[in-house]
Amino acid sequence: MKKLLVLILFLACAVEARAQATGLIANIAGRNHVSLDGQWKAIIDPYESGDQYHFNRDASPKSKSEFQEYSFDATGSLSVPGDWNTQRAELFFYEGAVWYKKSFDYERKGDTRLFVHFGAANYIAEVYLNGEKVGRHEGGFTPFNFEITNLVKEKENSLVVKVDNKRYPDGVPTLMTDWWNYGGLTRAVTLVVVPQTFIEDYFLQLRRGTKNQISGWVKLNGDKLAQKITVRIPEAKINKTFTTDANGTAQINFTADLSLWSPENPKLYNVSVEAETDHVEDSIGFRSIEVKGTEILLNGKPMFLRGVCIHEEAPLRSGRAYSREDAETLLGWAKELGANFVRLAHYPHNELMVREADRMGLLVWSEIPVYWGINFESPVAFAAAQNQLNEMIARDHNRACVILWSVANETPNNPARLTFLKKLVERARVLDPTRLMTAAMLHHYADERTQMIDDPLAEVLDVIGCNEYIGWYDGLPTKADTMEWKTIYQKPVVMSEFGAEAVYGLHGDDLTRWTEEYQESFYRHQLGMLKRIPFLRGTSPWILMDFRSPRRLLPGVQDYYNRKGLVSNRGERKKAFYVMQEFYRELQQRADH
Ligand code: GCB
């Protein structure tokens, strides 16, 4: 008996250790997989009794006399993917724990391994299979996976996930945000079947500064780590072979004659990565991105980022966006605005959004939710931020559309924050030496008519993001007319936010707050100011569509919506939409000539 216990303990540890040793599996859709989306049983557990009563075991009473105070079978369901807030009225403001449960059968084919992969769970997820803990994950917007090969049975597996969306002082984000704290299994849940030794991840992009040097790596996971790897891009007549080292990593370097990806030519190649034991296909674009002085160079040519900020808020319905249709609608509106660039605020959006941007030709700024007053002194907060950075980069490092990784939004300028963010920037550059680093930063008045950009964080960035609300939180729209901008850096600046609120259909004169006319006038005065900034290389107004926020309380006007959208949450274009569109058309025409 004792021996058996030791063996069970050993096996449990081995599973846990293996789960931790596995990084994020790249390209889930391109693999042998089974979707677990659909209805999941869900127990709402505000006092977290489930920890004490072992909801993870999901047992049914064995006799009529057995005492048990919970039942997954008798409880209601929630749809996955999906936030819980918009599925049931009583969960609208809920911040706490929900225990999800899904049963599934699984027929193991050959000598395969099985992982359970989560697109995202906000904010902490604890995952159990058949009563055993397989892992815990913190961070509401990035994917994670755990191996369950040794725990899965043929019939009636019980996958239980405790999801907790409480806000934590040491969390990332922390207690205060200006977006809805949608909880739950907000993105797809998938079983991923892979061979014993499989291609865990690969990184194939143009080396920085070149237009024909593909460089990167392929990483195997398993026990046959020494293998031959072939990378094929049939359309570019590429067929190259490499070998992995003792750690299962092969360094990739070769020359290729490619049609480069750009917003005008969003060319994606079918790329196949083959090992002796596994093979994966992907669609990958190749482009170069650099800065030179105050210029941003895409494929060697200076460009202006005609952008717009987007929250992951579902268009034309409510809740978190998660589907391809959501992505097509939101990015379609950005295109209609004349954008060639989107800032996906304020956390990594779902993968379909980035895949669609890649396909549609929209450059992407992707960021982690290091937002406002993070506890920069806390190692817990740092670990959470770094982990989200790792997962964001791991998921999207093969997407040509992504040109900017952002480490923070509007963080206070102090030494603890500077150390924290510099470490993140350094880490990101190790993980991905090809892309540009940025952050959305603040500025200050040098005098009454001059804004100064001198945040020391900019020293380690390639592109300076700057958020400003002159004419909304700071004076009236005309205040922008006489404002000048200065920077101590010879670097490109993107005005990463500016905006004003308006209720679609509310009309008045251009000095009446909340009207479309005020917002329209705000945009006209803003653009006048922005055109005078010599080092400005991009704009992403705040924001494409009205979005839910618990901080926006004005009845009849906001009703828990931040109304700075150029488009309302019902998809109606406000007057300001057309002002921005006209500006982008002019810029595009100038760029074409
Ligand atoms: C900001 C924040 C953004 C807010 C926005 C606003 O500076 O970065 O998250 O939603 O202002 O509307 O106030």
Side-chain angles (χ1 to χ4, degrees):
M1 182 68 189
K2 211 169 153 202
K3 266 191 186 155
L4 188 70
L5 269 176
V6 171
L7 183 72
I8 292 173
L9 244 168
F10 170 76
L11 277 178
C13 292
V15 169
E16 183 96 10
R18 212 178 200 193
Q20 280 161 5
T22 305
L24 196 62
I25 303 177
N27 186 14
I28 297 307
R31 315 227 180 202
N32 187 359
H33 67 274
V34 182
S35 168
L36 292 183
D37 293 350
Q39 294 299 308
W40 288 51
K41 292 289 185 182
I43 302 178
I44 322 300
D45 183 17
Y47 281 26
E48 294 179 61
S49 315
D51 292 329
Q52 193 185 343
Y53 297 133
H54 304 293
F55 287 8
N56 58 311
R57 285 192 202 141
D58 174 29
S60 317
K62 310 263 170 319
S63 73
K64 64 181 180 185
S65 312
E66 192 179 325
F67 175 69
Q68 187 171 302
E69 276 190 288
Y70 76 94
S71 163
F72 274 106
D73 292 339
T75 201
S77 301
L78 286 171
S79 186
V80 175
D83 61 86
W84 61 56
N85 312 69
T86 56
Q87 296 192 46
R88 285 195 208 166
E90 72 270 23
L91 294 180
F92 187 61
F93 289 104
Y94 184 66
E95 294 184 304
V98 171
W99 294 79
Y100 285 81
K101 185 208 135 176
K102 184 85 174 169
S103 302
F104 66 91
D105 296 342
Y106 177 71
E107 196 192 326
R108 190 169 172 193
K109 291 207 180 75
D111 195 16
T112 50
R113 291 166 68 183
L114 188 68
F115 288 77
V116 57
H117 178 277
F118 296 83
N122 189 33
Y123 172 76
I124 294 173
E126 281 171 18
V127 182
Y128 303 87
L129 185 71
N130 301 328
E132 298 295 333
K133 185 165 182 177
V134 295
R136 175 188 184 276
H137 181 264
E138 178 173 345
F141 302 96
T142 45
F144 53 99
N145 45 239
F146 299 116
E147 180 157 16
I148 53 174
T149 311
N150 297 336
L151 291 174
V152 74
K153 308 180 293 190
E154 249 183 47
K155 294 275 169 219
E156 281 295 301
N157 288 284
S158 162
L159 179 62
V160 172
V161 188
K162 178 189 177 194
V163 185
D164 165 21
N165 78 332
K166 287 194 298 300
R167 287 166 289 136
Y168 291 94
D170 288 346
V172 176
T174 179
L175 303 177
M176 190 61 93
T177 66
D178 189 24
W179 68 82
W180 208 262
N181 184 21
Y182 290 118
L185 295 174
T186 50
R187 296 182 191 158
V189 183
T190 316
L191 294 174
V192 188
V193 188
V194 291
Q196 276 299 325
T197 299
F198 68 100
I199 300 166
E200 180 182 290
D201 195 4
Y202 45 91
F203 181 39
L204 297 169
Q205 290 282 280
L206 286 179
R207 179 186 307 196
R208 197 159 180 176
T210 73
K211 296 198 192 74
N212 64 354
Q213 297 291 316
I214 295 185
S215 138
W217 44 261
V218 175
K219 187 173 179 303
L220 299 177
N221 180 309
D223 37 30
K224 190 175 182 298
L225 291 176
Q227 293 200 29
K228 196 176 91 175
I229 302 284
T230 308
V231 176
R232 284 186 224 277
I233 312 177
E235 209 185 326
K237 303 196 169 49
I238 295 294
N239 187 342
K240 302 273 173 194
T241 310
F242 305 87
T243 35
T244 51
D245 62 17
N247 299 318
T249 305
Q251 298 300 325
I252 308 291
N253 276 302
F254 58 87
T255 307
D257 183 14
L258 298 159
S259 163
L260 298 181
W261 186 103
S262 70
E264 297 73 38
N265 175 44
K267 169 74 194 159
L268 300 177
Y269 286 93
N270 289 330
V271 176
S272 91
V273 180
E274 292 160 30
E276 292 157 33
T277 55
D278 191 16
H279 113 268
V280 198
E281 308 251 329
D282 205 345
S283 300
I284 304 183
F286 302 94
R287 51 97 197 93
S288 85
I289 188 75
E290 294 164 278
V291 291
K292 196 168 176 203
T294 61
E295 297 295 344
I296 298 173
L297 307 178
L298 177 72
N299 300 327
K301 283 205 293 250
M303 72 164 317
F304 190 90
L305 302 174
R306 307 189 306 269
V308 65
C309 293
I310 306 182
H311 255 300
E312 196 184 40
E313 183 94 15
L316 312 176
R317 60 182 168 86
S318 70
R320 268 269 166 270
Y322 56 76
S323 68
R324 191 179 301 280
E325 294 72 47
D326 292 337
E328 278 169 0
T329 306
L330 291 168
L331 298 176
W333 290 341
K335 278 248 156 184
E336 183 189 329
L337 187 70
N340 59 12
F341 166 65
V342 288
R343 174 181 174 210
L344 301 183
H346 275 305
Y347 37 75
H349 288 211
N350 65 79
E351 188 173 355
L352 291 167
M353 204 56 186
V354 182
R355 292 259 178 192
E356 278 307 300
D358 226 18
R359 205 180 54 77
M360 291 166 74
L362 283 160
L363 295 156
V364 168
W365 157 321
S366 183
E367 70 192 60
I368 49 172
V370 175
Y371 181 87
W372 290 353
I374 296 290
N375 185 354
F376 290 108
E377 314 270 353
S378 157
V380 176
F382 183 77
Q386 177 160 278
N387 189 48
Q388 294 185 56
L389 181 82
N390 289 345
E391 289 167 347
M392 168 175 79
I393 295 177
R395 194 194 68 186
D396 291 339
H397 58 187
N398 288 313
R399 304 285 79 79
C401 63
V402 179
I403 51 165
L404 287 160
W405 300 125
S406 170
V407 290
N409 179 77
E410 293 183 359
T411 48
N413 181 2
N414 63 50
R417 165 269 199 176
L418 194 59
T419 310
F420 186 110
L421 296 182
K422 276 187 172 173
K423 281 198 320 206
L424 290 181
V425 172
E426 266 170 39
R427 173 88 192 137
R429 289 197 193 279
V430 171
L431 294 171
D432 180 0
T434 73
R435 291 181 174 78
L436 307 176
M437 296 304 304
T438 192
M441 289 182 292
L442 298 165
H443 45 94
H444 63 90
Y445 276 91
D447 62 49
E448 219 171 79
R449 290 167 161 216
T450 315
Q451 296 292 334
M452 176 59 89
I453 301 173
D454 59 5
D455 186 328
L457 176 64
E459 276 168 32
V460 298
L461 302 176
D462 302 300
V463 173
I464 300 175
C466 197
N467 294 356
E468 57 90 7
Y469 285 87
I470 298 160
W472 183 250
Y473 296 123
D474 177 9
L476 294 172
T478 47
K479 190 166 184 184
D481 299 350
T482 50
M483 200 62 75
E484 299 299 323
W485 286 78
K486 292 210 166 112
T487 170
I488 61 166
Y489 300 104
Q490 263 289 95
K491 297 191 177 194
V493 170
V494 170
M495 213 52 94
S496 39
E497 283 181 30
F498 51 96
E501 292 196 46
V503 180
Y504 172 78
L506 186 68
H507 296 290
D509 62 60
D510 61 10
L511 285 175
T512 304
R513 296 254 177 188
W514 317 110
T515 62
E516 285 196 49
E517 285 70 20
Y518 186 109
Q519 192 192 36
E520 180 186 32
S521 149
F522 168 94
Y523 270 88
R524 291 202 190 285
H525 290 282
Q526 276 292 310
L527 295 181
M529 175 185 79
L530 295 173
K531 284 176 190 166
R532 295 195 312 273
I533 305 177
F535 44 83
L536 189 73
R537 294 296 174 267
T539 47
S540 54
W542 191 257
I543 185 166
L544 181 67
M545 188 186 79
D546 292 350
F547 62 96
R548 278 225 167 86
S549 165
R551 289 163 47 87
R552 307 293 169 175
L553 308 173
L554 192 62
V557 171
Q558 294 175 312
D559 302 315
Y560 297 111
Y561 272 93
N562 182 318
R563 300 278 181 203
K564 293 191 187 73
L566 294 169
V567 175
S568 78
N569 50 308
R570 293 195 193 84
E572 299 127 332
R573 282 72 167 156
K574 301 179 195 172
K575 288 183 155 190
F577 181 94
Y578 300 103
V579 179
M580 217 46 224
Q581 189 186 53
E582 187 185 293
F583 174 58
Y584 283 164
R585 278 193 186 146
E586 274 168 33
L587 283 176
Q588 185 162 9
Q589 272 163 13
R590 228 176 301 153
D592 291 346
H593 290 122

